[in-house]
């Protein structure tokens, strides 16, 4: 039994450095899930359409099923596991999803969270229609999307309010 | 849906990448953003033996917008172009980015990858053909050449690029202040059923010429000289002229019949989208 | 108490009740924190030592005899550990049974791996085990299977043609089920004499239920328990245990089915998958745990599909629009195999029984058929037939209104059932609902929002706006009596719940239902918390473990809250009785002088004399010598509940406004209004979520999703590029409105809420499209409606309806 070419990689994930030796063909999604045991990132289509595997690569939302782990070397990766505080306190975005019932089965949820996390960082002033267009990046089969849009809009509005208050 | 095995190479510079692909032969492919190649590999529809990752070639990631020209490095992402200030002359390039997939795809997908993949509805191919862009490529042994976009796309996913050639930049040498791209797809972010692009020569409410390009009507994006002749003949920028142009465009193409749409429907979409594009171009 | 107040942090107060009751409060879900943080455990998140990964060699032809299977090269692939064919594993077939005579039903079997014959593209032929899924996929590519190909049967016409190839030898005519029901005396005369007879032919596309999480399983021998541990994402764990043990020839006690977090199901996971069994068998052979995660390509093309139906329906009306009779022929393309436990009868029997719906239909005749074709098999999918037959029924009503020159809403009003209970011509008794009220409210919302005005203005501008409605009910809470009418050999219905209180006064409650997104951990806890005066965090719901749950039928048919919710309520009530009894003993007073209070019991005549649950548990467990002589130690109780009569009917009316874009044929939904009545909503936020998500799936069926096959039986949709799941830009916001007609037999008045959204949407959307098409004279009755069809209709390229 021979193994296919492996590559030795150093990945920066959620602020920590990880060394892994994986086959070159291993996707970032599989590496995160099965080598780093960060199973919060989900895989549901493996052709870049559903977005369940969305993570942040240098701050931008990206499909981790459409990246080989080797391509991620040198980039900062963030997954859903990075959102809550160390003590498990939910972030404002996570709380907004819960308050607005923006998730049901929860399988697509990490993808939507990371999509929104990256998007709101870049476009904190986004309105509902712009949010809806971004939400259309990923698929959800449970919610009908409305409460996902609600959740992200709610979070954005609260962040703007907080910013105004503190300004 | 796991990709087949391959050997991974990481390019340090453009020349090294081109030389390596020449050395490895036809089973080697460049890997840029991977947003088209990796899905095909996951379906095992593409099975390169070697991938040469050019993702680190930061020198290929730039957007250089000037009043009369626009250079876009091949590794620039669609998102980088979408968020750049390209000025009035090239606003159409920026605005067209929104038609490409979705945000996460635009954040990884690259200009060069899109041109090299040459999908029949690819927005970058459409823009390049519409605006008579030049595509600069680097080959092994230090070769460089410039390909006119209008001669670059041969058919289904086929370009004139040699196997050892790597796109380094695309150059738009002519501002297009009155250009627009519009598409129709069943769902947001889908590949277009039909896409239409126009670039009008417009002065004081009068059209004196222009270019029309279409996607989704054949194996590759294409210019439509028949429709351009209508614009060349000129006239007041308005519905009448645009309808004539659109009819000429629809009459000139024979789109394929497939599960998504029939020939006549696609021709009708051509007609209506060309009119929309013209109106948008005037309004710009 | 307060209701739904938002706090600064963005979340609602977690311990919030309405009028002192958890039921009815939109409490945030207990499930959410783990799902939001990546802490949930779905089946693909399970990792076991020495675990192997399975992939399936699948048939590349739709119909044929297997002439050879050569796996020798597979075993040479790096990383591959083993590979098995049907011959290697010796597994028993899955044979779903219906207790119906031979002229009505032909029983067929589904082998676990194909033997001798293959019947659809994607049918599993062999299983390959490897060190990782990449190697497993390399392995299946190396398999060499040859076939003697026979022409596939791919349509109703091909299936029913004289001399057609038989998909199953047992059913030479390819008809697996053929039932004719009701046939009211004199129905032909009714039609012959009726002043108005309308006819609708409609067909609906083959769909995929499409949970975001595909199917998957991890199976392995547990030497300590001497059990085969099967962790699988299923809606029906006990039925998987039965089928799996049967196929492997094991005692059911030697199999434990455990369900991890589940990423949706919608019906596709409420049947037993052959892959689940093959993986379990392979795992026992290699004595190592094996994981199989279905990939999307297989999920789209080779799992279970649904909904491909053809209706030929006539309805007779009098001059005033009253329905006189209904005569329906429904034919369901069930694909290659019958599913366990629901059988090939699932779609035709549902349609036959439920078609009259919310209307008074004095004469009814129906023929329902299931045919076999060389396509992927079918399973129940959210709504089962009702999205289709409600669509047809609503088209008949609209048709009649046009013919008679009446307002279609008025025609509905004249026919809606308004006096309850109502026993229909279909031998079904409907419990009280708000059929008329929901329609009236729906119309009022659409009217008050100015949509009729907007439509008029738009028409003047040459635009095409349409307004459409759908009225429907949905039978929920089927009990075993109601299910017995289907004549399945396995008759679902009841649910059993067991409850235990621990030394800290917290409870664990079992339910035989199986949440896969429906929020049972929260809603069932709300029910139990009310019964016992507990805070939500002291109630834990346990489901999805055949070793811990005595028996369960899982979740389907909107049964969980009605049947399961009542069972947990009754069990909690029984435990409450024990607590009162014990409390009375400890307080040294009469039993009827003691009542439950917040987290404890108190004396009615002197509330200051009280005991906390912890106090009582302390005695029940740690000082049992203080218990009365005839009282067993511990605090536990159980209860079972079965649906009553014909179950309980939820109902709703949907109103939709669409615009047809003349340049592209695009159907844009401008407004969606849903007025629903599922009785008492345990958690209104969850009910809204179920409705909205259901509506999205209904819209998907109306406008987007369809699996087709080419002439060789190759499925068209193996990716999300071809199978067009709508996104946030295609699915509109839904304006939700509620009416409440409590169920009379469930513990808290709740009716089921899981499927209604999906049922109403296709009819409402189709009616709206046809309303918009009115000026063209074209009527569209087949779904999904494509932009090209709408474009052709708008440009006069389609035939005008007679």
């Amino acid at each position: 039994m021979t193994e296919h070419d492996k590559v030795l990689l150093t990945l920066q994930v959620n602020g920590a450095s990880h060394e892994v030796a994986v086959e070159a063909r291993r996707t970032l999604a599989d590496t995160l899930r099965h080598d780093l045991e960060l199973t919060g990132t989900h895989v549901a289509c493996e052709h870049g359409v559903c977005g369940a595997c969305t993570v942040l690569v240098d701050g931008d939302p990206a499909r981790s099923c459409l990246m080989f782990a080797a391509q991620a070397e040198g980039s900062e990766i963030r997954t859903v596991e990075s959102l809550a505080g160390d003590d498990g306190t939910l972030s404002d975005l996570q709380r907004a999803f819960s308050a607005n019932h923006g998730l049901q089965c929860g399988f697509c949820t990490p993808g939507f969270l990371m999509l929104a996390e990256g998007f709101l960082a870049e476009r904190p002033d986004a309105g509902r229609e712009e949010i809806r267009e971004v939400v259309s990046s990923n698929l959800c089969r449970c919610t009908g999307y409305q409460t996902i849009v609600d959740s992200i809009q709610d979070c954005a509005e609260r962040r703007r309010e907080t910013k105004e208050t503190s300004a | 849906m796991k990709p087949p095995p391959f050997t991974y190479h990481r390019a340090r510079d453009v020349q090294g990448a081109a030389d390596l692909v020449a050395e490895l032969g036809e089973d080697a492919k460049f890997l840029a953003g991977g947003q088209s190649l990796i899905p095909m590999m996951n379906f095992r529809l593409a099975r390169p033996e070697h991938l040469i990752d050019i993702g680190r070639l930061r020198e290929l990631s730039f957007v250089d917008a000037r009043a009369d020209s626009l250079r876009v490095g091949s590794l620039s992402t669609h998102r980088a172009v979408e968020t750049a200030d390209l000025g009035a002359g090239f606003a159409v390039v920026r605005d067209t980015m929104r038609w490409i997939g979705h945000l996460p795809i635009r954040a990884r997908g690259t200009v060069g990858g899109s041109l090299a993949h040459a999908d029949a509805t690819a927005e970058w191919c459409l823009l390049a053909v519409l605006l008579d862009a030049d595509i600069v490529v680097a080959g092994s042994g230090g070769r460089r050449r410039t390909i006119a976009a209008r001669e670059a796309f041969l058919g289904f996913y086929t370009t004139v690029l040699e196997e050892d050639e790597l796109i380094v930049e695309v150059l738009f040498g002519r501002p297009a202040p009155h250009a627009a791209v519009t598409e129709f797809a069943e769902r947001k972010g889908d590949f277009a059923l039909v896409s239409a692009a126009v670039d009008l020569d417009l002065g004081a409410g009068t059209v004196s010429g222009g270019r029309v390009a279409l996607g989704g009507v054949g194996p590759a994006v294409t210019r439509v000289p028949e429709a351009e002749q209508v614009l060349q003949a000129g006239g007041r920028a308005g519905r009448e002229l645009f309808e004539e142009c659109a009819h000429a465009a629809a009459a000139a193409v024979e789109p394929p019949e497939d599960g998504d749409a029939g020939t006549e429907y696609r021709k009708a979409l051509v007609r209506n989208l060309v009119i929309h594009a013209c109106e948008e171009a005037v309004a710009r | 108490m307060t209701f739904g107040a938002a706090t600064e942090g963005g979340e609602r107060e977690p311990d919030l009740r309405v009028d002192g009751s958890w039921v009815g409060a939109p409490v945030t879900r207990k499930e959410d924190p783990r799902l939001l943080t990546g802490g949930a455990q779905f089946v693909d998140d399970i990792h076991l030592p020495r675990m192997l990964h399975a992939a399936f060699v699948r048939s590349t032809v739709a119909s044929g005899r297997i002439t050879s299977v050569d796996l020798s090269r597979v075993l040479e692939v790096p990383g591959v550990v083993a590979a098995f064919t049907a011959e290697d594993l010796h597994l028993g077939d899955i044979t779903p049974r219906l207790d119906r005579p031979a002229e009505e039903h032909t029983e067929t079997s589904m082998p676990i791996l194909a033997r001798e014959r293959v019947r659809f593209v994607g049918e599993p032929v062999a299983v390959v085990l490897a060190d990782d899924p990449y190697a497993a996929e390399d392995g299946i590519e190396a398999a060499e299977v040859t076939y003697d190909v026979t022409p596939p049967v791919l349509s109703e016409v091909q299936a029913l043609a004289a001399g057609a190839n038989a998909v199953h030898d047992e059913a030479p005519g390819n008809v697996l089920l053929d039932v004719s029901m009701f046939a009211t005396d004199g129905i032909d005369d009714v039609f012959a004499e009726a002043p108005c007879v309308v006819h609708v032919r409609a067909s609906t596309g083959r769909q995929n239920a499409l949970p975001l999480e595909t199917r998957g399983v991890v199976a392995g021998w547990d030497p300590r328990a001497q059990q085969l541990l099967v962790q699988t994402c299923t809606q029906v764990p006990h039925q998987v245990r039965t089928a799996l043990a049967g196929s492997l020839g094991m005692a059911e006690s030697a199999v434990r089915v455990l369900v991890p977090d589940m990423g949706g199901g919608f019906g596709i996971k409420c049947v037993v998958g052959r892959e689940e069994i093959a993986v379990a068998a392979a795992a026992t052979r290699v004595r190592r745990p094996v994981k199989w995660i279905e990939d999307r390509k297989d999920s789209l093309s080779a799992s279970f599909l649904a909904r491909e139906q053809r209706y030929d329906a006539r309805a007779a009306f009098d001059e005033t629009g009253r329905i006189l009779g209904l005569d329906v022929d429904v034919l369901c393309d069930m694909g290659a195999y019958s599913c366990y436990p629901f059988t090939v009868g699932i779609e035709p029997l549902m349609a036959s029984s439920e078609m009259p719906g919310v209307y008074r239909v004095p004469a009814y005749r129906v023929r329902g058929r299931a045919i076999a074709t060389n396509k992927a098999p079918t399973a129940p999918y959210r709504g089962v037939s009702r999205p289709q037959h409600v669509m047809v029924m609503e088209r008949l009503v609209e048709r009649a209104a046009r013919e008679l020159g009446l307002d279609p809403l008025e025609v509905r009003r004249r026919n809606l059932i308004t006096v309850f209970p109502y026993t229909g011509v279909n031998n079904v008794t409907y419990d009280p609902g708000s059929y008329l009220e929901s329609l009236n409210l729906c119309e009022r919302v659409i009217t008050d929002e100015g949509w009729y005005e907007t439509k008029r203005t738009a028409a003047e501008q040459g635009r095409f706006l349409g307004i459409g409605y759908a009225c429907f009910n949905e039978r929920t809470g089927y009990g075993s009596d109601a299910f017995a009418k289907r004549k399945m050999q396995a008759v679902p219905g009841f649910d059993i719940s067991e409850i235990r209180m621990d030394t800290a006064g917290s409870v664990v409650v079992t339910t035989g239902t199986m949440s896969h997104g429906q929020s049972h951990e929260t809603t069932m806890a709300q029910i139990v918390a009310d019964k016992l005066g507990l805070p939500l965090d002291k109630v834990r719901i346990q489901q999805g473990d055949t070793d811990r749950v005595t028996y369960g039928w899982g979740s389907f048919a909107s049964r969980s809250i009605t049947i399961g919710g009542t069972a947990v309520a009754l069990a909690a009530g029984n435990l409450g009785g024990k607590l009162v009894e014990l409390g009375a003993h400890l307080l040294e007073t009469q039993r009827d002088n003691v009542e439950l209070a917040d987290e404890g019991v108190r004396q009615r005549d002197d509330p200051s004399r009280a005991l906390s649950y912890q106090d009582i548990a302390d005695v029940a467990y740690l000082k049992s010598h203080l218990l009365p002589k005839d009282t067993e130690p511990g605090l536990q109780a159980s209860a079972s509940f079965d649906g009553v009569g014909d179950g309980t009917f939820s109902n709703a009316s949907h109103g939709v406004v669409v615009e047809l874009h003349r340049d592209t044929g695009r159907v844009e939904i401008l407004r969606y209004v849903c007025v629903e009545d599922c009785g008492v909503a345990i958690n209104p936020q969850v009910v809204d979520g179920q409705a909205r998500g259901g509506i999205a799936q209904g819209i998907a069926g109306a406008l987007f999703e369809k699996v087709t096959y080419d002439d060789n039986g190759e499925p068209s949709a193996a990716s999300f590029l071809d199978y067009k799941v709508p996104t946030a830009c295609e699915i509109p916001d839904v304006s939700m409105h509620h009416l409440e007609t409590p169920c009379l037999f469930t513990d808290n008045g709740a009716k089921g809420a899981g499927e209604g959204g999906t049922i109403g949407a296709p009819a409402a959307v189709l009616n709206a499209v046809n309303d918009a098409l009115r000026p063209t004279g074209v009527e569209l009755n087949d779904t999904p409606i494509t932009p090209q069809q709408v474009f052709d209709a708008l440009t006069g390229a389609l035939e005008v309806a007679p």
Side-chain angles (χ1 to χ4, degrees), chain B residues 1 44 47 187 265 276, chain C residues 137-138 141 663-664 720:
Chain B
M1 288 176 61
R44 300 203 173 200
R47 36 177 83 234
R187 290 176 304 181
Y265 175 55
H276 281 304
Chain C
E137 198 163 328
D138 297 343
E141 285 190 316
D663 285 353
T664 58
F720 281 146

Side-chain angles (χ1 to χ4, degrees), chain C residues 40-104:
Chain C
Q41 191 181 53
F42 294 92
V43 67
D44 192 26
D45 302 340
I46 296 167
H47 179 82
L48 299 175
R50 301 179 69 240
M51 187 171 76
L52 296 173
H53 298 262
F56 286 87
V57 177
R58 293 178 184 275
S59 174
T60 53
V61 305
S63 173
R65 293 199 176 275
I66 298 172
T67 45
S68 69
V69 182
D70 181 357
L71 302 181
S72 55
R73 281 189 48 240
V74 175
L75 298 170
E76 293 166 12
V77 170
V80 168
V81 171
F84 302 111
T85 62
E87 211 169 289
D88 300 324
L89 294 180
H90 301 294
L91 294 166
D93 294 353
I94 298 176
T95 307
R97 301 218 149 94
L98 269 179
D99 195 11
R100 287 181 179 272
E103 61 270 25
E104 284 190 351

